[in-house]
Amino acid sequence: ILIDLQSKKYSFGVEWNYSLGVLHQTHSHFGEAIDRYSKSLEGGTYAFIYENIAQCYCSLGNNSKALQYIDMAMEIDSTNNILILKKADYYYYSGDGSKAIEMLGKYLELEPEFAYAYYRRGFYKDNTGDVDGAIEDYTYCITIGPEYAYAFLGRGDMYMLKGNVEAAKKDYL
């Protein structure tokens, strides 16, 4: 209550509510963060606020709401390709691996040198049973960004599923 009174007294409601939203989100108080972010939207619509709301909904396990808000962010800022990555995650977390893979395909058309996106798509393929597709994407990731240890582990796991113990051992090492 005191915070709301201060906000009215000093006429900085939009910035104040946004800042409080960030504070709540940082401390995993996602419901409170959503409330504050929503109040901050009274001063105008901003893609980054919708993006933060989407992240909060995802953290609460409400991925349909996360998808709704990431779409709003994408409508405002269609040039922010990172939103495509986030949307892919929300699809995956909601149980739609094929849409997640499709979204990462769109992202990789725009950013073909971003190793993490290949790793992530490989992970999605790995977890949806596309062993050969996962190996291919993990390999792209390793080629572009050999520092991604998880790509080696994922590809090693896929090689093990295929019975290629020697290739798996190399990746694990």
Side-chain angles (χ1 to χ4, degrees):
I1 295 173
L2 181 59
I3 291 171
D4 287 328
L5 290 174
Q6 292 287 30
S7 172
K8 289 176 185 168
K9 180 179 176 183
Y10 294 106
S11 299
F12 47 70
V14 172
E15 296 87 0
W16 186 251
N17 281 310
Y18 175 76
S19 297
L20 287 173
V22 171
L23 182 66
H24 283 301
Q25 185 175 2
T26 302
H27 292 283
S28 301
H29 303 141
F30 302 114
E32 293 92 339
I34 291 167
D35 289 342
R36 288 299 174 173
Y37 287 140
S38 296
K39 286 180 182 178
S40 74
L41 287 169
E42 293 170 5
T45 56
Y46 301 95
F48 66 92
I49 297 175
Y50 286 127
E51 179 183 356
N52 287 359
I53 293 172
Q55 290 172 350
C56 289
Y57 274 119
C58 180
S59 295
L60 290 170
N62 189 339
N63 293 298
S64 62
K65 280 284 201 188
L67 285 164
Q68 177 186 341
Y69 277 90
I70 206 70
D71 281 341
M72 287 190 253
M74 292 171 84
E75 282 180 33
I76 295 170
D77 186 359
S78 62
T79 64
N80 184 348
N81 296 336
I82 295 299
L83 298 175
I84 298 170
L85 286 176
K86 291 183 179 194
K87 186 171 182 176
D89 280 339
Y90 301 152
Y91 274 129
Y92 180 76
Y93 299 142
S94 69
D96 195 340
S98 63
K99 285 253 193 203
I101 292 165
E102 178 185 323
M103 288 305 299
L104 273 173
K106 289 178 183 180
Y107 179 84
L108 285 165
E109 288 174 11
L110 300 168
E111 304 282 348
E113 297 296 317
F114 189 48
Y116 175 76
Y118 287 103
Y119 163 74
R120 197 70 181 155
R121 190 172 68 177
F123 176 78
Y124 295 155
K125 289 178 179 180
D126 173 343
N127 286 286
T128 56
D130 182 1
V131 173
D132 291 329
I135 289 171
E136 181 180 17
D137 280 341
Y138 287 146
T139 301
Y140 275 118
C141 177
I142 290 165
T143 302
I144 298 169
E147 70 278 4
Y148 283 93
Y150 284 112
F152 286 99
L153 293 172
R155 189 173 71 175
D157 290 346
M158 297 300 96
Y159 283 144
M160 286 298 288
L161 285 174
K162 291 182 70 95
N164 190 343
V165 177
E166 201 56 42
K169 184 178 176 182
K170 286 180 184 177
D171 277 353
Y172 291 150
L173 292 175

